[in-house]
């Protein structure tokens, strides 16, 4: 792993997003996946990444 964020790749961010999702940290997973999508050159790949990690603030269900 590099200490310079500019050296991180889309795959690095996607791996981190998966780790955060597994750790039940959906908002961090979403943010990392969004960065991965922005670093991806193929629009269809970026759309797939975004679909895999939706914004938890818009999908959250309230319970009493």
């Amino acid at each position: 792993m590099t200490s310079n964020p500019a050296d991180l790749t889309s795959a690095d961010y996607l791996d981190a997003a998966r780790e955060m999702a597994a750790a039940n940290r959906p908002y961090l997973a979403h943010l990392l996946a969004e960065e991965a999508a922005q670093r991806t050159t193929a629009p269809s790949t970026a759309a797939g990444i975004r679909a895999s990690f939706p914004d938890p603030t818009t999908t959250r269900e309230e319970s009493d």
Side-chain angles (χ1 to χ4, degrees):
M1 185 69 149
T2 181
S3 61
N4 184 355
D7 293 337
L8 295 174
T9 66
S10 178
D12 294 326
Y13 281 101
L14 195 52
D15 287 343
R18 289 184 185 118
E19 288 178 19
M20 290 298 105
N24 199 27
R25 305 291 304 265
Y27 190 70
L28 287 176
H30 168 71
L31 292 175
L32 289 162
E34 182 60 33
E35 186 62 33
Q38 289 178 3
R39 292 173 180 253
T40 301
T41 56
S44 61
T45 303
I49 292 170
R50 288 183 176 106
S52 297
F53 297 92
D55 185 351
T57 59
T58 59
T59 59
R60 189 172 105 185
E61 295 180 15
E62 295 294 327
S63 62
D64 290 332

